[in-house]
Amino acid sequence: MLIRSIVPLRPLVTRRFSTTMSSKAKVLAVLYRGGKAAEEEKKLLGTVENKLGIEEWLKEQGHEFVVTDDKEGPDSEFQKHLPEAEILVTTPFHPAYLTRDLIQKASKLKLAVTAGVGSDHIDLNAANERNITVAEVSGSNVVSVAEHVVMTILVLVRNFVPAHEQIMAGGWNVADVARDTYDLEGKVVATVGCGRIGYRVLQRLAPFNCKELLWYDYTDLPAEAAKGIQARRVEKLEDMLAQADVVTINCPLHEGTRGLFNADLISKMKKGAWLVNTARGAICDSQAVADALKSGQLRGYGGDVWDKQPAGQDHPWRNAKNKLGGGNAMTPHVSGTSIDAQTRYANGAKEIIRRYLAGEAQEQQNLICIDGDYASKAYGQRENKTKATGQKGAGP
Ligand code: NAI
């Protein structure tokens, strides 16, 4: 039987908005520019050109809809339109950073929607202070990311990139590549965070006959789900890292995870381990990762998320390599924005906006902040402060 079929579905709990919405709202969307690709492929919905497929729908109802990719600095279109916007839609792929300062200026903002998963580009504490609802399309791209994680693990362990580069350059030297190529079978793989993505990564790794699958999360898994992945929970992060040949990071970026993988924590990993990060770039110290590749403490680093996006030309991860000239499996932020995922997160963002405009309750699983507090347990442990219901946390 498929694991998913025995995992109990979460109840559909909804929360009503405490703020009132305007009959004619200004909706501001910051999306990435797709250029020729977006003109040719209309399913690239997360682009400025294709506007999440919601332009006509919003305009028919008389709402104003502004879409831009211009997001940096006080003269940007983002900052120009923000003070009048009631709804802001952003994607993690081209994040408009909604800082505390900007939240002060966004006096009409009531709803911030993340078209995708991961709302760390918003200062969530400041959003709570201003009673701004923050919602994301939970689950919309978690399979896309889990597949990318498994791919990146294999790309690193199998030393694929140098082998491919050799072929493209006209070369043929088996030994040069094989000297750093391994099998995933028999290795220990560990995930930091066992929510929707981390869980799916472990599910997908089961047939590879790894020596052991490990997970670390401050939230426990439901009993049925825990049985489903046949992985061992480790209580202390450092203990897990010391045992793992491959580590994959699958937790959100928040105060407790920013800069978590610094030189000190990386030094506690098994020497020569592979590290995969598709969660958020800023969870890792970029220079510490590059240094660890150079020294051999890490054999490889891969993922698609960067501490600033788009990443600068001089970002250390663009050229970081291990001692043998491989070990880099970085891509632009693409794992959660496959064509399939774009359909799901565009539809999900539309549904969040529709509910808001109709004065209807939101699905609890999509809520990060509401009524001035966190609605999710995933963005850090806040035992005394949060009203989080646990709808978004460990497990599928
Ligand atoms: P989720 O909310 O289902 O699971 C996150 C898990 O991380 C929760 O179980 C939570 O308890 C755990 N966690 C939080 N802090 C932790 C810590 N310090 N140590 C260990 N565990 C911790 O979220 P989901 O859907 O699995 O996504 C996870 C993250 O992946 C997102 O927040 C986002 O940053 C990233 N993501 C990246 C995408 C991409 O395109 N590269 C696309 C989608 C998500």
Side-chain angles (χ1 to χ4, degrees):
M1 190 196 295
L2 279 175
I3 297 308
R4 257 164 293 194
S5 63
I6 58 166
V7 170
L9 287 176
R10 292 179 177 173
L12 184 74
V13 182
T14 52
R15 288 274 283 273
R16 197 153 281 286
F17 277 100
S18 56
T19 46
T20 47
M21 68 297 307
S22 317
S23 53
K24 301 293 169 220
K26 176 161 180 160
V27 183
L28 171 61
V30 182
L31 304 172
Y32 59 88
R33 186 156 295 281
K36 192 165 172 272
E39 278 157 31
E40 289 174 3
E41 179 49 83
K42 297 293 173 201
K43 290 187 204 150
L44 276 169
L45 288 167
T47 57
V48 174
E49 292 81 358
N50 297 327
K51 302 177 173 55
L52 293 167
I54 58 174
E55 184 175 41
E56 223 173 289
W57 170 72
L58 281 172
K59 288 194 168 162
E60 270 168 11
Q61 301 170 68
H63 302 298
E64 186 186 348
F65 189 38
V66 176
V67 184
T68 184
D69 68 328
D70 180 22
K71 67 183 178 80
E72 302 298 340
D75 298 327
S76 64
E77 290 293 299
F78 165 51
Q79 291 202 26
K80 202 169 89 192
H81 288 282
L82 187 62
E84 293 301 315
E86 183 171 337
I87 301 174
L88 173 68
V89 188
T90 54
T91 73
F93 313 103
H94 184 67
Y97 297 100
L98 192 59
T99 58
R100 176 172 284 278
D101 278 358
L102 289 181
I103 285 178
Q104 299 317 321
K105 292 179 189 152
S107 55
K108 298 189 177 157
L109 190 64
K110 290 189 181 138
L111 173 66
V113 184
T114 302
V117 174
S119 300
D120 51 275
H121 54 286
I122 298 168
D123 185 324
L124 299 174
N125 291 329
N128 276 331
E129 285 164 29
R130 271 276 325 283
N131 200 9
I132 294 167
T133 297
V134 179
E136 60 186 46
V137 191
S138 293
S140 57
N141 51 15
V142 296
V143 166
S144 324
V145 180
E147 288 184 2
H148 196 99
V149 172
V150 174
M151 174 190 79
T152 306
I153 291 173
L154 286 169
V155 158
L156 286 173
V157 173
R158 306 289 320 169
N159 205 20
F160 176 84
V161 175
H164 183 64
E165 283 172 351
Q166 191 191 92
I167 285 300
M168 297 299 277
W172 186 279
N173 188 328
V174 173
D176 257 8
V177 176
R179 67 185 295 188
D180 209 26
T181 300
Y182 297 83
D183 298 337
L184 185 54
E185 183 172 272
K187 302 293 181 294
V188 177
V189 184
T191 174
V192 182
C194 195
R196 292 174 178 83
I197 296 173
Y199 186 87
R200 281 167 176 75
V201 169
L202 296 180
Q203 272 185 322
R204 280 156 181 74
L205 287 175
F208 283 90
N209 294 327
C210 293
K211 185 173 176 192
E212 208 176 8
L213 300 176
L214 308 176
W215 63 280
Y216 166 80
D217 198 314
Y218 55 70
T219 314
D220 205 355
L221 282 172
E224 275 302 290
K227 269 191 233 155
I229 47 172
Q230 293 178 356
R232 178 165 61 90
R233 185 181 191 186
V234 183
E235 295 291 334
K236 206 163 160 246
L237 177 61
E238 285 82 354
D239 289 348
M240 182 176 82
L241 298 182
Q243 302 171 53
D245 300 295
V246 181
V247 175
T248 154
I249 305 175
N250 298 295
C251 57
L253 173 63
H254 54 73
E255 299 100 316
T257 57
R258 186 174 293 278
L260 180 66
F261 279 78
N262 55 19
D264 182 46
L265 193 67
I266 292 171
S267 75
K268 293 178 176 144
M269 293 174 68
K270 212 167 154 179
K271 191 167 170 62
W274 294 274
L275 180 59
V276 172
N277 177 14
T278 52
R280 284 296 176 260
I283 295 173
C284 294
D285 176 327
S286 51
Q287 195 53 53
V289 166
D291 292 347
L293 275 174
K294 212 168 167 187
S295 73
Q297 176 59 18
L298 286 180
R299 192 181 298 277
Y301 182 84
D304 67 327
V305 285
W306 304 70
D307 44 11
K308 190 160 190 306
Q309 295 186 182
Q313 285 305 315
D314 57 350
H315 195 290
W317 292 349
R318 284 192 184 267
N319 301 306
K321 291 205 164 150
N322 66 19
K323 284 177 172 175
L324 297 173
N328 185 328
M330 289 304 295
T331 68
H333 193 163
V334 72
S335 73
T337 191
S338 63
I339 292 288
D340 301 301
Q342 297 203 29
T343 304
R344 292 190 295 263
Y345 70 65
N347 288 342
K350 182 179 179 184
E351 176 60 10
I352 291 169
I353 297 168
R354 187 198 68 71
R355 284 176 184 248
Y356 171 80
L357 292 171
E360 287 177 22
Q362 294 289 340
E363 285 183 55
Q364 177 73 41
Q365 63 159 4
N366 288 340
L367 286 170
I368 306 303
C369 299
I370 190 151
D371 297 338
D373 202 352
Y374 284 86
S376 165
K377 279 185 178 171
Y379 283 80
Q381 290 172 290
R382 304 164 206 279
E383 271 141 38
N384 299 323
K385 284 196 285 176
T386 187
K387 289 185 284 198
T389 60
Q391 286 293 306
K392 190 166 164 62

